Amino acid sequence: MTWVFTSKKRFYLHDDETLLDGLLRTGHDINYQCREGYCGSCRVTLSHASFPVTYAEPPLAMIEQGEILACCCKVKGLIHLKEVK
């Protein structure tokens, strides 16, 4: 089970739920468009993760160190995100 902590709340991801879907389900205000890692609109800043964040396919959108794409990243364990409203 993956637990997600933001400045707004904490929640867990359902089986096979993306981080983006979990954020939307719990009322977070997050931008998104493509849902496939092309545009980078869903970019969030990772504060801490108990396991490395991975991707099934490398995303095409450019991300900086410490950023992840909520639509297509693979997360597990505990993760803390910065500044997600």
Side-chain angles (χ1 to χ4, degrees):
M1 179 183 301
T2 299
W3 280 96
V4 181
F5 294 83
T6 69
S7 58
K8 186 174 181 178
K9 59 180 70 171
R10 68 177 184 217
F11 63 94
Y12 65 91
L13 293 180
H14 296 294
D15 292 340
D16 297 323
E17 183 178 39
T18 66
L19 178 56
L20 174 61
D21 289 336
L23 289 166
L24 292 172
R25 173 177 55 82
T26 56
H28 290 83
D29 183 23
I30 182 167
N31 293 323
Y32 65 95
Q33 289 182 21
C34 73
R35 291 184 169 261
E36 295 183 15
Y38 298 126
C39 71
S41 294
C42 65
R43 176 182 292 118
V44 293
T45 304
L46 182 65
S47 176
H48 171 77
S50 60
F51 291 92
V53 175
T54 60
Y55 296 90
E57 297 287 327
L60 293 177
M62 299 296 293
I63 53 176
E64 298 292 328
Q65 182 72 21
E67 293 179 335
I68 58 174
L69 298 178
C71 71
C72 60
C73 67
K74 303 292 182 188
V75 295
K76 61 182 179 177
L78 301 172
I79 66 166
H80 295 259
L81 303 176
K82 289 183 181 178
E83 302 176 24
V84 178
K85 299 175 184 168

